[in-house]
Amino acid sequence: MTKIGILAASLLLFSGAAWAKDNSGAKSDELNKATQTLQQITSSNQIPRPVLDQAECVGVVPKLTKGGFIAGGEHGDGVVSCRTSSGWSAPAFFSISAGSIGLQAGAEEAQIVMLMNHDGKQQLMNGNFELSANLVAEGPTGSNYTDSAWKAPVLSYEISHGAYAGVNLQGSKMAIDNGAMHDVYGSNDSTQQVLGGSVHTPGQAQQFTSELPHGR
């Protein structure tokens, strides 16, 4: 190999490593922000405790923003963890996007929380899915809770300016972030393995999983 070829290969390896390091740092920041969101919801009575305790998976989008990624729409990156026989799984990374989610009036960005029952968990395990009308519903808030609160496999909430409200995510597309999964867990661990509890929770994610509801 010529000196030029060796130099070019070295630059490619260096840039790849730098990108992975930067991306890993970005995901650590995302986990920290998601943890802060979890701290808000677990210390508040706005989302009924029975609903939190019944959730099989909890997904958090720390920052969903209007415009930007999709003109006239919303986009955000998030993390999700599911219950296993030994506690909560290591988190998986995902993105959510839609033409229009319909944030609270005047909101340019918001935090999104998604609670999933067993059927929602199975949909999540498939990797990518569209939140159709029969899959997602606005979650109940405050004392607005009945035994029929689980109107769909996924209950969704918006937190904007400190206020909680059910949010309509119908038509949104949720996709596992395979690049982030590869950077954090390597190429041998699948989404199913991570969410199924077969993969050790990395250090930077342990505070996130510790904030998840532990009641049943």
Short mmCIF file of all heavy atoms in Angstrom, two decimals, residues 26-86:
data_model
loop_
_atom_site.label_atom_id
_atom_site.label_comp_id
_atom_site.label_asym_id
_atom_site.label_seq_id
_atom_site.Cartn_x
_atom_site.Cartn_y
_atom_site.Cartn_z
N ALA A 26 -23.52 12.12 22.46
CA ALA A 26 -24.86 12.68 22.22
C ALA A 26 -25.92 11.79 22.86
O ALA A 26 -26.90 12.28 23.42
CB ALA A 26 -25.11 12.81 20.72
N LYS A 27 -25.74 10.47 22.79
CA LYS A 27 -26.71 9.57 23.38
C LYS A 27 -26.67 9.61 24.91
O LYS A 27 -27.69 9.44 25.57
CB LYS A 27 -26.49 8.14 22.87
CG LYS A 27 -26.84 7.98 21.40
CD LYS A 27 -28.25 8.44 21.11
CE LYS A 27 -28.56 8.55 19.65
NZ LYS A 27 -29.91 9.12 19.39
N SER A 28 -25.48 9.85 25.48
CA SER A 28 -25.39 10.01 26.93
C SER A 28 -26.17 11.24 27.37
O SER A 28 -26.88 11.22 28.38
CB SER A 28 -23.93 10.13 27.36
OG SER A 28 -23.24 8.92 27.16
N ASP A 29 -26.05 12.31 26.59
CA ASP A 29 -26.79 13.54 26.88
C ASP A 29 -28.30 13.29 26.76
O ASP A 29 -29.09 13.78 27.57
CB ASP A 29 -26.35 14.65 25.93
CG ASP A 29 -27.03 15.97 26.23
OD1 ASP A 29 -26.90 16.46 27.37
OD2 ASP A 29 -27.70 16.53 25.33
N GLU A 30 -28.69 12.52 25.74
CA GLU A 30 -30.11 12.19 25.55
C GLU A 30 -30.63 11.37 26.73
O GLU A 30 -31.74 11.60 27.21
CB GLU A 30 -30.26 11.41 24.25
CG GLU A 30 -31.69 11.16 23.81
CD GLU A 30 -31.73 10.49 22.45
OE1 GLU A 30 -31.16 11.07 21.50
OE2 GLU A 30 -32.31 9.41 22.35
N LEU A 31 -29.83 10.43 27.22
CA LEU A 31 -30.21 9.63 28.37
C LEU A 31 -30.37 10.51 29.62
O LEU A 31 -31.31 10.32 30.40
CB LEU A 31 -29.17 8.54 28.63
CG LEU A 31 -29.27 7.30 27.75
CD1 LEU A 31 -27.97 6.49 27.83
CD2 LEU A 31 -30.46 6.43 28.17
N ASN A 32 -29.46 11.45 29.80
CA ASN A 32 -29.54 12.35 30.95
C ASN A 32 -30.82 13.17 30.92
O ASN A 32 -31.50 13.34 31.93
CB ASN A 32 -28.32 13.27 31.00
CG ASN A 32 -27.04 12.55 31.35
OD1 ASN A 32 -27.07 11.49 31.97
ND2 ASN A 32 -25.91 13.10 30.95
N LYS A 33 -31.16 13.68 29.73
CA LYS A 33 -32.38 14.49 29.60
C LYS A 33 -33.63 13.63 29.77
O LYS A 33 -34.62 14.07 30.36
CB LYS A 33 -32.38 15.21 28.25
CG LYS A 33 -31.32 16.29 28.15
CD LYS A 33 -31.31 16.96 26.78
CE LYS A 33 -30.25 18.05 26.72
NZ LYS A 33 -30.18 18.68 25.37
N ALA A 34 -33.57 12.40 29.26
CA ALA A 34 -34.70 11.49 29.44
C ALA A 34 -34.88 11.15 30.92
O ALA A 34 -36.01 11.00 31.41
CB ALA A 34 -34.48 10.22 28.62
N THR A 35 -33.77 11.02 31.64
CA THR A 35 -33.83 10.75 33.08
C THR A 35 -34.51 11.90 33.80
O THR A 35 -35.34 11.67 34.71
CB THR A 35 -32.41 10.54 33.64
OG1 THR A 35 -31.80 9.43 32.98
CG2 THR A 35 -32.45 10.28 35.14
N GLN A 36 -34.19 13.13 33.43
CA GLN A 36 -34.82 14.28 34.04
C GLN A 36 -36.33 14.28 33.80
O GLN A 36 -37.12 14.62 34.69
CB GLN A 36 -34.20 15.57 33.49
CG GLN A 36 -32.74 15.76 33.89
CD GLN A 36 -32.08 16.92 33.18
OE1 GLN A 36 -32.74 17.75 32.54
NE2 GLN A 36 -30.77 17.01 33.27
N THR A 37 -36.73 13.87 32.59
CA THR A 37 -38.16 13.78 32.28
C THR A 37 -38.82 12.73 33.15
O THR A 37 -39.91 12.94 33.69
CB THR A 37 -38.36 13.44 30.79
OG1 THR A 37 -37.76 14.46 29.98
CG2 THR A 37 -39.85 13.35 30.45
N LEU A 38 -38.16 11.58 33.31
CA LEU A 38 -38.70 10.52 34.17
C LEU A 38 -38.85 10.99 35.61
O LEU A 38 -39.84 10.67 36.28
CB LEU A 38 -37.80 9.29 34.12
CG LEU A 38 -37.98 8.35 32.93
CD1 LEU A 38 -36.95 7.23 33.01
CD2 LEU A 38 -39.39 7.77 32.90
N GLN A 39 -37.88 11.75 36.08
CA GLN A 39 -37.96 12.27 37.44
C GLN A 39 -39.18 13.17 37.61
O GLN A 39 -39.83 13.17 38.66
CB GLN A 39 -36.67 13.02 37.79
CG GLN A 39 -35.47 12.11 37.94
CD GLN A 39 -34.15 12.86 38.03
OE1 GLN A 39 -34.07 14.03 37.64
NE2 GLN A 39 -33.12 12.21 38.54
N GLN A 40 -39.49 13.92 36.55
CA GLN A 40 -40.68 14.78 36.60
C GLN A 40 -41.95 13.96 36.70
O GLN A 40 -42.84 14.24 37.51
CB GLN A 40 -40.74 15.66 35.35
CG GLN A 40 -39.68 16.75 35.27
CD GLN A 40 -39.85 17.58 34.00
OE1 GLN A 40 -40.94 17.96 33.63
NE2 GLN A 40 -38.75 17.83 33.32
N ILE A 41 -42.06 12.92 35.86
CA ILE A 41 -43.32 12.19 35.80
C ILE A 41 -43.52 11.29 37.02
O ILE A 41 -44.65 11.09 37.46
CB ILE A 41 -43.47 11.37 34.50
CG1 ILE A 41 -42.46 10.24 34.44
CG2 ILE A 41 -43.37 12.25 33.28
CD1 ILE A 41 -42.68 9.30 33.28
N THR A 42 -42.44 10.76 37.58
CA THR A 42 -42.59 9.87 38.73
C THR A 42 -42.84 10.66 40.02
O THR A 42 -43.36 10.10 40.99
CB THR A 42 -41.36 8.96 38.91
OG1 THR A 42 -40.17 9.77 38.97
CG2 THR A 42 -41.24 7.98 37.76
N SER A 43 -42.47 11.93 40.03
CA SER A 43 -42.71 12.76 41.21
C SER A 43 -44.01 13.54 41.10
O SER A 43 -44.38 14.29 42.00
CB SER A 43 -41.55 13.73 41.43
OG SER A 43 -41.45 14.64 40.33
N SER A 44 -44.71 13.38 39.99
CA SER A 44 -45.96 14.10 39.77
C SER A 44 -47.13 13.13 39.78
O SER A 44 -46.99 11.95 39.49
CB SER A 44 -45.91 14.82 38.42
OG SER A 44 -47.18 15.30 38.04
N ASN A 45 -48.29 13.65 40.13
CA ASN A 45 -49.51 12.84 40.08
C ASN A 45 -50.30 13.07 38.81
O ASN A 45 -51.44 12.62 38.69
CB ASN A 45 -50.39 13.16 41.30
CG ASN A 45 -49.74 12.74 42.60
OD1 ASN A 45 -49.10 11.69 42.66
ND2 ASN A 45 -49.89 13.55 43.63
N GLN A 46 -49.71 13.79 37.86
CA GLN A 46 -50.44 14.13 36.64
C GLN A 46 -50.72 12.90 35.79
O GLN A 46 -51.77 12.77 35.18
CB GLN A 46 -49.67 15.18 35.84
CG GLN A 46 -49.60 16.54 36.49
CD GLN A 46 -50.98 17.15 36.68
OE1 GLN A 46 -51.75 17.24 35.74
NE2 GLN A 46 -51.29 17.53 37.91
N ILE A 47 -49.74 11.99 35.71
CA ILE A 47 -49.97 10.71 35.04
C ILE A 47 -50.37 9.72 36.12
O ILE A 47 -49.60 9.48 37.06
CB ILE A 47 -48.73 10.23 34.27
CG1 ILE A 47 -48.36 11.22 33.16
CG2 ILE A 47 -48.98 8.84 33.67
CD1 ILE A 47 -47.13 10.83 32.37
N PRO A 48 -51.57 9.15 36.05
CA PRO A 48 -52.05 8.27 37.13
C PRO A 48 -51.06 7.15 37.44
O PRO A 48 -50.56 6.47 36.53
CB PRO A 48 -53.36 7.71 36.56
CG PRO A 48 -53.80 8.74 35.58
CD PRO A 48 -52.55 9.28 34.96
N ARG A 49 -50.79 6.95 38.71
CA ARG A 49 -49.82 5.94 39.12
C ARG A 49 -50.19 4.55 38.64
O ARG A 49 -49.31 3.78 38.22
CB ARG A 49 -49.68 5.96 40.64
CG ARG A 49 -48.49 5.14 41.15
CD ARG A 49 -47.19 5.84 40.82
NE ARG A 49 -46.07 4.91 40.79
CZ ARG A 49 -44.80 5.31 40.76
NH1 ARG A 49 -44.52 6.59 40.74
NH2 ARG A 49 -43.83 4.44 40.72
N PRO A 50 -51.48 4.16 38.68
CA PRO A 50 -51.82 2.82 38.18
C PRO A 50 -51.43 2.61 36.72
O PRO A 50 -51.05 1.51 36.33
CB PRO A 50 -53.34 2.75 38.37
CG PRO A 50 -53.63 3.70 39.47
CD PRO A 50 -52.67 4.82 39.28
N VAL A 51 -51.51 3.67 35.92
CA VAL A 51 -51.14 3.55 34.51
C VAL A 51 -49.63 3.35 34.39
O VAL A 51 -49.16 2.49 33.63
CB VAL A 51 -51.58 4.81 33.72
CG1 VAL A 51 -51.13 4.71 32.27
CG2 VAL A 51 -53.09 4.98 33.79
N LEU A 52 -48.86 4.12 35.16
CA LEU A 52 -47.41 3.95 35.16
C LEU A 52 -47.03 2.54 35.60
O LEU A 52 -46.16 1.89 35.00
CB LEU A 52 -46.75 4.97 36.08
CG LEU A 52 -46.55 6.39 35.56
CD1 LEU A 52 -46.08 7.30 36.69
CD2 LEU A 52 -45.55 6.42 34.42
N ASP A 53 -47.69 2.07 36.67
CA ASP A 53 -47.33 0.76 37.22
C ASP A 53 -47.71 -0.39 36.30
O ASP A 53 -47.11 -1.46 36.36
CB ASP A 53 -48.00 0.57 38.58
CG ASP A 53 -47.42 1.48 39.65
OD1 ASP A 53 -46.30 2.00 39.43
OD2 ASP A 53 -48.08 1.68 40.69
N GLN A 54 -48.69 -0.18 35.42
CA GLN A 54 -49.12 -1.23 34.51
C GLN A 54 -48.33 -1.23 33.20
O GLN A 54 -48.42 -2.20 32.43
CB GLN A 54 -50.61 -1.07 34.19
CG GLN A 54 -51.52 -1.35 35.37
CD GLN A 54 -52.94 -0.88 35.13
OE1 GLN A 54 -53.32 -0.54 34.01
NE2 GLN A 54 -53.74 -0.83 36.19
N ALA A 55 -47.56 -0.20 32.96
CA ALA A 55 -46.83 -0.09 31.69
C ALA A 55 -45.77 -1.19 31.58
O ALA A 55 -45.00 -1.42 32.52
CB ALA A 55 -46.18 1.27 31.57
N GLU A 56 -45.73 -1.84 30.44
CA GLU A 56 -44.70 -2.85 30.15
C GLU A 56 -43.43 -2.20 29.58
O GLU A 56 -42.34 -2.72 29.76
CB GLU A 56 -45.23 -3.89 29.17
CG GLU A 56 -46.26 -4.83 29.76
CD GLU A 56 -45.65 -5.77 30.80
OE1 GLU A 56 -44.48 -6.14 30.66
OE2 GLU A 56 -46.37 -6.11 31.76
N CYS A 57 -43.59 -1.09 28.89
CA CYS A 57 -42.46 -0.33 28.35
C CYS A 57 -42.73 1.15 28.55
O CYS A 57 -43.89 1.60 28.53
CB CYS A 57 -42.26 -0.60 26.85
SG CYS A 57 -41.94 -2.32 26.41
N VAL A 58 -41.66 1.91 28.74
CA VAL A 58 -41.76 3.36 28.87
C VAL A 58 -40.78 3.99 27.88
O VAL A 58 -39.58 3.71 27.92
CB VAL A 58 -41.42 3.83 30.30
CG1 VAL A 58 -41.46 5.36 30.39
CG2 VAL A 58 -42.40 3.22 31.31
N GLY A 59 -41.32 4.82 27.00
CA GLY A 59 -40.49 5.54 26.03
C GLY A 59 -40.51 7.02 26.33
O GLY A 59 -41.55 7.58 26.68
N VAL A 60 -39.36 7.68 26.22
CA VAL A 60 -39.25 9.10 26.52
C VAL A 60 -38.53 9.80 25.38
O VAL A 60 -37.44 9.39 24.96
CB VAL A 60 -38.47 9.35 27.84
CG1 VAL A 60 -38.36 10.86 28.12
CG2 VAL A 60 -39.14 8.64 29.00
N VAL A 61 -39.15 10.86 24.87
CA VAL A 61 -38.51 11.75 23.89
C VAL A 61 -38.24 13.05 24.62
O VAL A 61 -39.17 13.83 24.86
CB VAL A 61 -39.41 11.99 22.66
CG1 VAL A 61 -38.72 12.91 21.66
CG2 VAL A 61 -39.78 10.68 22.00
N PRO A 62 -36.99 13.32 25.02
CA PRO A 62 -36.71 14.51 25.82
C PRO A 62 -37.00 15.82 25.09
O PRO A 62 -37.27 16.84 25.73
CB PRO A 62 -35.21 14.39 26.12
CG PRO A 62 -34.88 12.96 25.89
CD PRO A 62 -35.80 12.50 24.81
N LYS A 63 -36.93 15.80 23.76
CA LYS A 63 -37.15 17.04 23.02
C LYS A 63 -37.71 16.73 21.64
O LYS A 63 -37.00 16.28 20.75
CB LYS A 63 -35.86 17.83 22.89
CG LYS A 63 -36.02 19.19 22.22
CD LYS A 63 -34.70 19.94 22.19
CE LYS A 63 -34.84 21.30 21.52
NZ LYS A 63 -33.54 22.03 21.47
N LEU A 64 -39.01 16.95 21.48
CA LEU A 64 -39.64 16.85 20.17
C LEU A 64 -39.85 18.27 19.66
O LEU A 64 -40.43 19.11 20.36
CB LEU A 64 -40.97 16.10 20.26
CG LEU A 64 -41.66 15.88 18.91
CD1 LEU A 64 -42.19 14.45 18.81
CD2 LEU A 64 -42.79 16.87 18.73
N THR A 65 -39.34 18.55 18.47
CA THR A 65 -39.32 19.91 17.96
C THR A 65 -40.15 20.04 16.70
O THR A 65 -40.13 19.17 15.83
CB THR A 65 -37.87 20.34 17.65
OG1 THR A 65 -37.07 20.10 18.81
CG2 THR A 65 -37.79 21.81 17.31
N LYS A 66 -40.85 21.15 16.58
CA LYS A 66 -41.58 21.46 15.36
C LYS A 66 -40.60 21.84 14.26
O LYS A 66 -39.61 22.52 14.50
CB LYS A 66 -42.55 22.62 15.58
CG LYS A 66 -43.81 22.27 16.33
CD LYS A 66 -44.77 23.44 16.33
CE LYS A 66 -46.08 23.08 17.00
NZ LYS A 66 -47.04 24.21 16.99
N GLY A 67 -40.92 21.41 13.02
CA GLY A 67 -40.10 21.80 11.88
C GLY A 67 -38.73 21.16 11.93
O GLY A 67 -38.47 20.21 12.66
N GLY A 68 -37.81 21.70 11.15
CA GLY A 68 -36.44 21.19 11.16
C GLY A 68 -36.30 19.96 10.30
O GLY A 68 -36.17 20.04 9.09
N PHE A 69 -36.37 18.77 10.95
CA PHE A 69 -36.14 17.52 10.23
C PHE A 69 -37.17 17.29 9.14
O PHE A 69 -36.85 16.81 8.06
CB PHE A 69 -36.16 16.36 11.23
CG PHE A 69 -35.77 15.03 10.64
CD1 PHE A 69 -34.44 14.73 10.47
CD2 PHE A 69 -36.72 14.11 10.27
CE1 PHE A 69 -34.06 13.50 9.94
CE2 PHE A 69 -36.35 12.89 9.74
CZ PHE A 69 -35.03 12.59 9.58
N ILE A 70 -38.41 17.61 9.45
CA ILE A 70 -39.47 17.48 8.45
C ILE A 70 -40.19 18.82 8.37
O ILE A 70 -40.71 19.32 9.36
CB ILE A 70 -40.49 16.38 8.84
CG1 ILE A 70 -39.78 15.04 8.95
CG2 ILE A 70 -41.63 16.30 7.84
CD1 ILE A 70 -40.68 13.92 9.40
N ALA A 71 -40.20 19.42 7.19
CA ALA A 71 -40.83 20.73 7.03
C ALA A 71 -42.29 20.65 7.45
O ALA A 71 -43.06 19.84 6.96
CB ALA A 71 -40.73 21.18 5.58
N GLY A 72 -42.65 21.51 8.39
CA GLY A 72 -44.04 21.55 8.83
C GLY A 72 -44.43 20.44 9.77
O GLY A 72 -45.59 20.32 10.15
N GLY A 73 -43.49 19.59 10.18
CA GLY A 73 -43.82 18.48 11.05
C GLY A 73 -43.01 18.50 12.33
O GLY A 73 -42.44 19.51 12.70
N GLU A 74 -42.97 17.37 13.01
CA GLU A 74 -42.22 17.25 14.25
C GLU A 74 -41.30 16.04 14.20
O GLU A 74 -41.59 15.06 13.52
CB GLU A 74 -43.18 17.12 15.44
CG GLU A 74 -43.94 18.38 15.80
CD GLU A 74 -45.29 18.46 15.11
OE1 GLU A 74 -45.83 17.42 14.72
OE2 GLU A 74 -45.79 19.58 14.94
N HIS A 75 -40.20 16.14 14.94
CA HIS A 75 -39.25 15.03 14.99
C HIS A 75 -38.55 15.06 16.34
O HIS A 75 -38.30 16.12 16.91
CB HIS A 75 -38.20 15.15 13.88
CG HIS A 75 -37.13 14.10 13.97
ND1 HIS A 75 -37.31 12.82 13.51
CD2 HIS A 75 -35.88 14.14 14.51
CE1 HIS A 75 -36.21 12.11 13.75
NE2 HIS A 75 -35.34 12.89 14.35
N GLY A 76 -38.23 13.88 16.85
CA GLY A 76 -37.46 13.79 18.08
C GLY A 76 -36.80 12.43 18.22
O GLY A 76 -37.22 11.45 17.59
N ASP A 77 -35.76 12.37 19.03
CA ASP A 77 -35.06 11.12 19.35
C ASP A 77 -35.37 10.75 20.79
O ASP A 77 -35.51 11.62 21.66
CB ASP A 77 -33.56 11.28 19.16
CG ASP A 77 -33.19 11.54 17.71
OD1 ASP A 77 -33.77 10.89 16.82
OD2 ASP A 77 -32.33 12.42 17.46
N GLY A 78 -35.45 9.45 21.05
CA GLY A 78 -35.82 9.03 22.39
C GLY A 78 -35.20 7.72 22.81
O GLY A 78 -34.45 7.09 22.05
N VAL A 79 -35.51 7.32 24.03
CA VAL A 79 -35.03 6.06 24.59
C VAL A 79 -36.23 5.32 25.18
O VAL A 79 -37.21 5.94 25.63
CB VAL A 79 -33.94 6.27 25.67
CG1 VAL A 79 -32.69 6.83 25.05
CG2 VAL A 79 -34.44 7.21 26.77
N VAL A 80 -36.16 4.00 25.17
CA VAL A 80 -37.26 3.19 25.68
C VAL A 80 -36.70 1.97 26.40
O VAL A 80 -35.69 1.40 26.00
CB VAL A 80 -38.21 2.77 24.53
CG1 VAL A 80 -37.48 1.95 23.47
CG2 VAL A 80 -39.41 1.99 25.07
N SER A 81 -37.35 1.60 27.49
CA SER A 81 -36.96 0.42 28.25
C SER A 81 -38.22 -0.40 28.55
O SER A 81 -39.32 0.15 28.65
CB SER A 81 -36.28 0.83 29.57
OG SER A 81 -35.91 -0.30 30.33
N CYS A 82 -38.06 -1.72 28.66
CA CYS A 82 -39.20 -2.61 28.90
C CYS A 82 -38.95 -3.47 30.15
O CYS A 82 -37.81 -3.78 30.49
CB CYS A 82 -39.43 -3.52 27.70
SG CYS A 82 -39.92 -2.65 26.18
N ARG A 83 -40.05 -3.85 30.77
CA ARG A 83 -39.94 -4.72 31.94
C ARG A 83 -39.48 -6.12 31.53
O ARG A 83 -39.88 -6.64 30.49
CB ARG A 83 -41.29 -4.84 32.64
CG ARG A 83 -41.78 -3.58 33.32
CD ARG A 83 -43.05 -3.86 34.08
NE ARG A 83 -43.72 -2.65 34.50
CZ ARG A 83 -43.55 -2.04 35.68
NH1 ARG A 83 -42.69 -2.56 36.54
NH2 ARG A 83 -44.21 -0.94 35.99
N THR A 84 -38.66 -6.72 32.37
CA THR A 84 -38.23 -8.10 32.19
C THR A 84 -38.44 -8.83 33.51
O THR A 84 -38.86 -8.23 34.50
CB THR A 84 -36.74 -8.17 31.78
OG1 THR A 84 -35.92 -7.81 32.92
CG2 THR A 84 -36.43 -7.23 30.63
N SER A 85 -38.11 -10.10 33.54
CA SER A 85 -38.29 -10.88 34.76
C SER A 85 -37.37 -10.42 35.88
O SER A 85 -37.61 -10.70 37.06
CB SER A 85 -38.03 -12.36 34.48
OG SER A 85 -36.72 -12.55 33.96
N SER A 86 -36.31 -9.67 35.52
CA SER A 86 -35.34 -9.22 36.52
C SER A 86 -35.32 -7.70 36.69
O SER A 86 -34.39 -7.16 37.27
CB SER A 86 -33.94 -9.71 36.15
OG SER A 86 -33.57 -9.24 34.87
#
